[in-house]
Amino acid sequence: MNYSINGNVVTIDRDAILIEISIDNIKFIDYLGEGANSIVFRGFDELLERDIAIKIWISKLSDTRDKYIQALREAKKIASLKHHNIVDVYHANSHHQSTISLEMELIKGTTLREYLKSNKISMRFLNKIWHQIFDAMSYSYQKGIYHGDLHDRNILIIGDSDIKILDFGTSLFSSRISNSENRDSKLLLKLFEKIFGKDHSLLIKNKSLLIGKPEMVLNATKSVLFAFERIALLKNYFDNNSEHLASSAALDISGCISECPFLDVSVIISIIREQMVSDHYVNVFLNGCINMLKLVKSHNPHDGVVGYFCDESSIDSLVEAVNILLIEVMCLHNKMYEKDKANYLSNTHNLLA
């Protein structure tokens, strides 16, 4: 967008129409960046004497009055977010019944994308980053607010390892608002793989069942990180001949499997086998799968895992997926069953009886 700054007034050229924006006590300093529907300036609050960022969303000529009201409602919700990992919004403004601006905290930092490119990153650092993303987005979803464009350029690294998430409401004047749950789910899965790599991403199975449920995506990623942490401990304990602690770590992973039906147990088993852990520990994961299948079949609406699935078709799909997963684990555990999977299913039903 073309623009001109004159002290307390900025004039923006949108589709050959000049839009003049002024905000009480705010001086526009310079341009910071822009997106498809917005432009960001650095400003100065003359009353409070502090630097700020000013983000301005401008509707299109084709946008209806209802769309503007919806966008204004979303802007008010964004302004209500108060979390140490989310950029603070000081004030929201409406202009000409077609334009919305937010006065925000001005943050200086490095985007996560650039940070990952230019630094040697430890797994401990990545875990800390994701924990903050998890915490911030869980808070946001509890308030019914979706980001709309969560990626590694909208996350700033501040200092050694703190983060700030930028650009909530990127899509105020786009069609994405109505599809925000699906979009955030997909973006979270993509961001998780971007940060941790495909090895971690492969542990999340049946991703299609997670689309539209961003809170459940977060829980699945948390289970993956916990499983990897316990697998590392398992190897360490095994290498040091500490059978009791190794068994405890294996049981933790089993519990993780029971609580999250989206962990690909076959991948977990493969990782453990690569580390030469004995079959004794693999049995634990088999029991974990059986417990998970019991949980899904019980279809208790109060269970945290199953409660996300309200209709019978979703439950049936999940049961089928868990059954397949259980067969995979059994086949890994003892290859003789690969010749007779029907017998395997019979054994499974006996175990569940």
Side-chain angles (χ1 to χ4, degrees), residues 150 179-192 210-212 214 217:
L150 187 63
N179 202 30
S180 52
E181 290 175 308
N182 285 358
R183 182 170 174 79
D184 265 29
S185 302
K186 294 175 183 177
L187 288 170
L188 280 169
L189 288 168
K190 187 175 181 180
L191 181 62
F192 185 72
L210 290 169
I211 303 306
V217 172

Side-chain angles (χ1 to χ4, degrees), residues 186-227:
K186 294 175 183 177
L187 288 170
L188 280 169
L189 288 168
K190 187 175 181 180
L191 181 62
F192 185 72
E193 181 171 327
K194 181 84 173 181
I195 293 175
F196 290 99
K198 288 188 176 180
D199 286 347
H200 279 63
S201 180
L202 284 172
L203 251 68
I204 303 176
K205 196 172 184 178
N206 302 317
K207 291 184 176 70
S208 61
L209 293 176
L210 290 169
I211 303 306
K213 301 177 178 67
E215 300 97 326
M216 204 162 192
V217 172
L218 287 174
N219 288 333
T221 62
K222 187 177 181 180
S223 295
V224 168
L225 295 182
F226 182 81

Side-chain angles (χ1 to χ4, degrees), residues 77-97:
K77 287 166 66 176
I78 293 165
S80 73
L81 291 172
K82 301 297 177 186
H83 190 279
H84 59 279
N85 293 125
I86 297 174
V87 168
D88 200 12
V89 175
Y90 302 135
H91 192 68
N93 307 283
S94 173
H95 313 271
H96 315 302
Q97 295 189 346

Side-chain angles (χ1 to χ4, degrees), residues 25 83 112 162 328:
N25 303 310
H83 190 279
L112 179 58
D162 291 330
E328 289 176 359

Side-chain angles (χ1 to χ4, degrees), residues 50-165:
R50 64 182 176 189
D51 293 322
I52 61 171
I54 306 155
K55 186 166 187 175
I56 301 172
W57 285 274
I58 302 173
S59 61
K60 299 176 183 177
L61 292 175
S62 58
D63 288 338
T64 64
R65 169 71 177 167
D66 287 345
K67 193 165 189 178
Y68 169 75
I69 292 173
Q70 179 189 29
L72 184 59
R73 186 163 52 244
E74 290 295 316
K76 289 177 180 177
K77 287 166 66 176
I78 293 165
S80 73
L81 291 172
K82 301 297 177 186
H83 190 279
H84 59 279
N85 293 125
I86 297 174
V87 168
D88 200 12
V89 175
Y90 302 135
H91 192 68
N93 307 283
S94 173
H95 313 271
H96 315 302
Q97 295 189 346
S98 64
T99 304
I100 296 169
S101 67
L102 294 183
E103 300 162 36
M104 302 181 294
E105 178 183 13
L106 182 64
I107 299 294
K108 295 180 181 179
T110 305
T111 67
L112 179 58
R113 175 174 292 188
E114 290 302 316
Y115 198 94
L116 293 177
K117 284 181 181 178
S118 58
N119 292 272
K120 188 175 181 180
I121 308 298
S122 68
M123 187 57 65
R124 184 176 182 179
F125 174 87
L126 295 180
N127 282 333
K128 185 173 182 180
I129 294 299
W130 191 260
H131 176 77
Q132 293 175 80
I133 295 171
F134 178 96
D135 194 39
M137 296 312 299
S138 294
Y139 162 80
S140 174
Y141 295 147
Q142 286 171 7
K143 295 178 72 69
I145 300 172
Y146 300 91
H147 188 283
D149 198 24
L150 187 63
H151 53 69
D152 52 4
R153 286 173 296 176
N154 279 336
I155 299 171
L156 289 185
I157 306 295
I158 313 297
D160 292 333
S161 58
D162 291 330
I163 72 159
K164 286 281 188 178
I165 300 178

